[in-house]
């Protein structure tokens, strides 16, 4: 009996570990969103499934994190919403519906209000809305993120993005040199510009970099409140983190870098934060949805930098 009980506990521990691993990998592949809550400018990312959620928030000074499963969701829901009775999956689905407009910068007047408070070293993100005609409250209790988590979601991706952009700069410099050689060949063949305003000097990479450092760098590296990082670089960020997840899965011996390490088949849980909204029943007691909402696949398609095709200059030379 003791052996069977131990085996059962071990099995439940493995299942819970797989669910937490799915949340970790799902959060890593999510993009950052820029939030303005009262006077607080924050960067945040979240990943929500029917098994739990993971949330990461930063004010560019510190990083906070919370990751919970359905048992924590059930307990907290009972403490904050004594008049509501529902399975944890229903609360998670509702939280996804509330966070989706906030993270996508979509105005939904009256649907929910958000605020954040600093309590010692923790950050509490408070949510107030309605569910089935009754008030609904939720508090995300975020503690300071560990150094390894900060490295995983910020330091390593930013280093990868820097290397990718540097590689892109080198490829563009090579392309410009090739264009200069093409123009030189036209000129040596006797061609002349038909429009003088289009004349350019041959590209000198060192001079360009020196001028950039002096004239453009101060403005280009102005981080501000982080909004430009969210609006301009998230495709590259997701490409880099997606590659990071694939490398990790290969090291774990999954054999298929495109699949999740979770025991659940693809598409069964989905990302509730990205799911289309569904009407909520008017009854205070919410049943578990019989049919899961369809949504985008868990796998993130990584954008690839397209190669620039060489085009012959037409209409510029006689």
């Amino acid at each position: 009996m003791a052996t069977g009980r131990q085996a059962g506990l071990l099995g439940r521990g493995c299942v819970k570990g797989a669910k937490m691993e799915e949340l970790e990998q799902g959060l890593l592949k999510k993009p950052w969103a820029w939030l303005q809550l009262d006077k607080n400018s924050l960067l945040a990312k979240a990943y929500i499934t029917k098994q739990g959620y993971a949330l990461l928030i930063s004010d560019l000074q510190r990083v906070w994190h919370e990751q919970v499963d359905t048992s924590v969701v059930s307990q907290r829901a009972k403490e904050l919403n004594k008049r509501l009775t529902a399975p944890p999956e229903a609360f998670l689905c509702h939280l996804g519906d509330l966070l989706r407009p906030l993270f996508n910068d979509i105005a939904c007047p009256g649907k929910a209000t958000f605020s954040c408070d600093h309590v010692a070293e923790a950050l509490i993100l408070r949510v107030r809305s309605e569910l089935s005609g009754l008030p609904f409250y939720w508090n995300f209790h975020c503690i300071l993120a560990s150094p390894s988590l900060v490295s995983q979601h910020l330091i390593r991706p930013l280093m990868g993005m820097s290397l990718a952009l540097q590689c892109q700069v080198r490829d563009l410099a090579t392309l410009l040199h090739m264009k200069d050689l093409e123009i030189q060949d036209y000129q040596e063949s006797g061609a002349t510009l038909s429009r003088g305003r289009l004349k350019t000097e041959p590209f000198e990479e060192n001079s360009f970099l020196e001028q950039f450092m002096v004239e453009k760098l101060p403005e280009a590296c102005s981080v501000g409140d982080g909004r430009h990082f969210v609006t301009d670089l998230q495709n590259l960020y997701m490409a880099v983190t997606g590659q990071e997840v694939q490398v990790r899965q290969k090291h774990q011996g999954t054999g298929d870098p495109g699949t999740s390490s979770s025991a659940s088949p693809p598409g069964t849980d989905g990302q509730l934060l990205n799911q289309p909204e569904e009407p909520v029943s008017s009854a205070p007691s919410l049943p578990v949805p019989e049919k899961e909402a369809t949504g985008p696949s868990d796998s993130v398609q990584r954008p690839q930098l397209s190669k620039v095709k060489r085009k012959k200059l037409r209409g510029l030379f006689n």
Side-chain angles (χ1 to χ4, degrees):
M1 292 297 293
T3 303
R5 187 180 302 110
Q6 291 176 354
L9 292 174
L10 180 61
R12 287 194 293 271
C14 292
V15 172
K16 184 175 181 179
K19 293 177 180 178
M20 292 296 102
E21 178 70 16
E22 180 189 5
L23 288 175
E24 292 174 4
Q25 293 193 2
L27 182 65
L28 181 59
K29 294 189 291 184
K30 297 295 289 183
W32 288 92
W34 185 82
L35 310 180
Q36 184 68 47
L37 302 179
D38 298 328
K39 297 181 180 180
N40 300 290
S41 296
L42 303 171
L43 297 182
K45 54 159 54 180
Y47 183 75
I48 302 178
T49 72
K50 291 188 297 182
Q51 309 299 333
Y53 67 75
L55 177 66
L56 202 62
I57 300 177
S58 174
D59 62 356
L60 302 185
Q61 300 294 328
R62 291 170 293 181
V63 181
W64 296 272
H65 174 250
E66 184 183 36
Q67 182 169 310
V68 300
D69 58 13
T70 51
S71 62
V72 177
V73 171
S74 296
Q75 181 62 31
R76 192 174 301 174
K78 292 178 182 178
E79 296 173 356
L80 297 175
N81 305 278
K82 300 184 183 300
R83 298 174 62 191
L84 284 171
T85 302
E89 293 84 356
F91 289 119
L92 287 165
C93 184
H94 187 58
L95 287 173
D97 291 341
L98 296 177
L99 289 182
R100 189 186 308 111
L102 177 68
F103 278 50
N104 294 331
D105 197 20
I106 300 175
C108 294
K111 183 169 184 178
T113 58
F114 298 86
S115 62
C116 63
D117 299 317
H118 294 270
V119 179
E121 293 294 319
L123 181 141
I124 300 179
L125 177 62
R126 305 182 188 276
V127 184
R128 298 180 60 183
S129 71
E130 287 189 0
L131 183 59
S132 297
L134 295 174
F136 174 80
Y137 303 94
W138 191 262
N139 296 337
F140 294 93
H141 295 273
C142 302
I143 62 174
L144 285 176
S146 65
S148 61
L149 196 65
V150 175
S151 174
Q152 185 181 30
H153 287 268
L154 284 170
I155 298 176
R156 291 182 61 86
L158 291 175
M159 291 180 66
M161 292 168 66
S162 298
L163 294 173
L165 290 173
Q166 181 63 27
C167 181
Q168 186 183 40
V169 168
R170 287 198 300 267
D171 289 346
L172 290 173
T174 301
L175 181 62
L176 286 174
H177 286 304
M178 293 172 62
K179 290 294 183 181
D180 285 339
L181 292 175
E182 183 179 359
I183 293 174
Q184 182 181 354
D185 183 70
Y186 287 144
Q187 292 173 339
E188 291 176 352
S189 300
T192 59
L193 275 174
S194 60
R195 289 170 283 180
R197 62 184 177 82
L198 298 178
K199 180 176 177 60
T200 58
E201 298 297 328
F203 177 70
E204 294 289 343
E205 184 174 359
N206 291 334
S207 299
F208 171 80
L209 292 177
E210 291 176 0
Q211 184 179 4
F212 177 84
M213 292 293 185
V214 174
E215 298 180 1
K216 302 291 186 180
L217 185 63
E219 179 182 356
C221 68
S222 177
V223 176
D225 56 12
R227 192 167 192 172
H228 289 298
F229 169 68
V230 170
T231 56
D232 299 335
L233 293 171
Q234 287 311 287
N235 285 340
L236 181 58
Y237 176 87
M238 288 189 293
V240 171
T241 54
Q243 181 67 23
E244 191 84 8
V245 170
Q246 284 194 1
V247 171
R248 183 190 305 175
Q249 290 174 338
K250 287 181 180 179
H251 285 291
Q252 291 176 347
T254 60
D256 184 3
T259 59
S260 171
S261 62
S262 170
S264 302
T268 55
D269 288 334
Q271 301 176 14
L272 297 185
L273 190 59
N274 289 336
Q275 299 283 0
E277 298 183 16
E278 294 185 352
V280 181
S281 172
S282 58
S285 179
L286 300 178
V288 180
E290 296 181 359
K291 185 176 181 181
E292 299 169 7
T294 57
S297 172
D298 287 344
S299 60
V300 175
Q301 298 179 352
R302 302 185 308 282
Q304 300 178 352
L305 299 177
S306 59
K307 296 182 179 180
V308 180
K309 297 182 180 179
R310 291 187 59 188
K311 296 183 180 180
K312 294 186 177 181
L313 300 175
R314 299 180 182 277
L316 300 182
F317 298 94
N318 293 327

